[in-house]
Amino acid sequence: MKINTGAKFSIYVPQHRIVNWNIEMYKILSQLRAQYWFWYVRNELILNELKNEPNHGDAEKLQKLLEEPTLEDIFGKDSISQQIFSISGDVQLCSIFSEDSDKFRVGTRPSTETTPKWVDRYIPGSLSAFIEGPSGLFEIIEANSVPEAIFIIARHLSNILKEDYELVQGDNELERLTASLSERLQFGMFGGAFKLLCTIDEIINYIFPNNEWGKFVPVLQGDKASPQKLEPTHLFQSQFLKLEVMAPIAIGYGFFRARFFNEIHYLSKVCYEEQYLTLLNKKFIMNEAFWLFESYNSELSSAEYLHFKESERKKVNANRIEQSPIKNIFCEAHSLTKPLFFAKCFLTEE
């Protein structure tokens, strides 16, 4: 892909060959989308409940669930469907949550835009949560090109800096970078994608000081904690802004660099060395295992495959081809955490 730098030269960057990228990504992110969207809706319902009934009998438990979203047996499907009915009066919508809340939560009931759009009438932000993901992560991954990805990252980063301006205010360097980001976004249509990318890189490196994500390593080493046992304060921290807000930006930027610049190590470091995917699991109930895309409906056993009709087999094969680019990128990143020793490459059958 050719990028106009605004100077007397252009740069070329390697790019994975992708057909119908948006369609594929929409399918392959469906489980993660369902989980994040469910988290958002449930979170808003809990906040609404606590606002309307500050002396609610389960206020302490609800507050605990806000802090630790992976906890179970608190504010389940019955409570959710009742709250949905109380704010909407819609029996059909209430029925959807009564039947499928648990499935949305664990990602076994992917959703289309229809239900989030329906819910958006009563819970503003439902549709954007479904489409964009945390800090725009889904949109970043779904970008069709280098310039589009750059502008999406910049837009979401700019929104974060504006929303949390009181945290940024007072730091001269970050204020300068924020102003520069805003200016380059406004004039980006005049070929400023490369300069905008440089500003994004500066901001990320300033918010995550002394990170070494860009340094190549063949293998990663690090401790692995479960979402329940993960202690966010022990992770590599962001300055000024909350880590759960900036971690998705770091992952999205890492994916961008892995996809277009073949810097798989950058994505691997932010996902697994820093354990930011585990953080997303802990904070937004987005199952970390789903990032390897070995879902219940994308991998079939040989026996299951043989029972399919020819037309069904064609659909399965087409789906596997569509899924391969995104799977390859994240699986390559994951593979750096599981080194293959040289001797094992030459094992012979006895």
Side-chain angles (χ1 to χ4, degrees):
M1 169 171 279
K2 180 180 177 182
I3 302 180
N4 191 331
T5 64
K8 294 182 179 180
F9 61 90
S10 297
I11 61 171
Y12 291 82
V13 295
Q15 183 177 1
H16 288 267
R17 186 174 179 81
I18 294 171
V19 179
N20 293 329
W21 179 269
N22 271 354
I23 296 173
E24 172 223 335
M25 293 304 298
Y26 188 86
K27 290 178 182 177
I28 204 167
L29 289 175
S30 59
Q31 290 175 292
L32 292 160
R33 265 199 160 96
Q35 289 190 305
Y36 179 71
W37 169 71
F38 170 81
W39 168 84
Y40 178 85
V41 171
R42 187 183 67 178
N43 217 55
E44 291 298 303
L45 291 173
I46 293 173
L47 290 171
N48 185 62
E49 179 92 342
L50 292 173
K51 180 181 177 181
N52 294 333
E53 297 185 50
N55 297 320
H56 192 287
D58 292 327
E60 190 173 332
K61 288 183 179 180
L62 293 177
Q63 191 62 46
K64 185 74 172 175
L65 186 59
L66 289 176
E67 297 168 4
E68 299 181 43
T70 56
L71 293 174
E72 298 182 11
D73 302 322
I74 304 174
F75 206 72
K77 62 181 181 180
D78 292 338
S79 299
I80 292 172
S81 59
Q82 288 170 12
Q83 281 294 307
I84 288 290
F85 182 75
S86 69
I87 63 174
S88 69
D90 194 318
V91 176
Q92 189 176 353
L93 190 58
C94 172
S95 177
I96 290 174
F97 280 90
S98 179
E99 293 175 8
D100 295 331
S101 282
D102 289 342
K103 295 175 184 177
F104 289 141
R105 180 175 59 82
V106 298
T108 57
R109 174 68 169 83
S111 175
T112 62
E113 281 188 19
T114 304
T115 304
K117 190 174 182 179
W118 191 355
V119 174
D120 201 72
R121 301 175 194 171
Y122 315 107
I123 303 177
S126 165
L127 183 58
S128 61
F130 179 81
I131 293 173
E132 298 174 4
S135 301
L137 179 57
F138 299 155
E139 277 197 317
I140 295 167
I141 292 174
E142 289 174 338
N144 286 298
S145 64
V146 170
E148 184 182 354
I150 290 171
F151 282 103
I152 290 173
I153 295 169
R155 175 165 53 83
H156 285 287
L157 190 53
S158 179
N159 289 339
I160 290 168
L161 291 167
K162 287 177 182 176
E163 289 172 7
D164 293 323
Y165 182 71
E166 68 280 0
L167 301 177
V168 175
Q169 193 175 18
D171 187 274
N172 293 335
E173 178 62 9
L174 193 51
E175 285 186 346
R176 181 191 69 80
L177 289 170
T178 301
S180 176
L181 180 68
S182 180
E183 181 181 337
R184 296 201 187 287
L185 264 174
Q186 290 178 3
F187 295 100
M189 65 183 74
F190 301 109
F194 185 73
K195 292 180 180 178
L196 188 56
L197 176 58
C198 292
T199 303
I200 290 169
D201 197 63
E202 278 190 83
I203 292 174
I204 288 176
N205 288 331
Y206 190 73
I207 292 176
F208 290 98
N210 303 316
N211 76 74
E212 297 186 347
W213 302 335
K215 292 183 179 179
F216 174 77
V217 290
V219 176
L220 293 183
Q221 294 181 347
D223 298 327
K224 181 73 180 75
S226 68
Q228 292 74 22
K229 294 182 178 180
L230 183 74
E231 180 49 64
T233 57
H234 294 167
L235 301 181
F236 188 85
Q237 296 295 308
S238 54
Q239 285 193 125
F240 309 105
L241 302 167
K242 291 181 179 179
L243 184 58
E244 59 262 37
V245 173
M246 285 304 302
I249 290 287
I251 294 169
Y253 186 56
F255 179 84
F256 164 80
R257 290 178 62 148
R259 177 186 169 193
F260 294 110
F261 296 90
N262 204 31
E263 293 183 287
I264 299 295
H265 58 278
Y266 195 109
L267 178 63
S268 187
K269 284 183 176 183
V270 296
C271 288
Y272 299 107
E273 188 172 72
E274 310 300 0
Q275 300 187 78
Y276 287 167
L277 286 186
T278 311
L279 181 68
L280 296 194
N281 198 152
K282 184 179 184 69
K283 292 294 184 180
F284 307 123
I285 63 172
M286 296 166 65
N287 192 335
E288 183 178 353
F290 288 162
W291 289 102
L292 295 180
F293 305 103
E294 296 172 348
S295 61
Y296 67 98
N297 62 355
S298 64
E299 298 294 335
L300 299 169
S301 67
S302 298
E304 289 174 319
Y305 182 77
L306 289 173
H307 279 91
F308 276 15
K309 296 177 182 178
E310 185 60 30
S311 60
E312 292 172 326
R313 290 184 189 181
K314 288 181 179 179
K315 290 180 181 178
V316 171
N317 290 337
N319 190 46
R320 284 172 171 168
I321 291 171
E322 286 177 355
Q323 288 183 352
S324 60
I326 176 62
K327 285 185 66 173
N328 287 346
I329 293 170
F330 273 98
C331 285
E332 281 184 64
H334 185 258
S335 70
L336 294 189
T337 68
K338 297 182 179 297
L340 178 65
F341 291 102
F342 190 71
K344 291 185 178 180
C345 296
F346 302 96
L347 293 177
T348 56
E349 294 184 4
E350 296 183 358

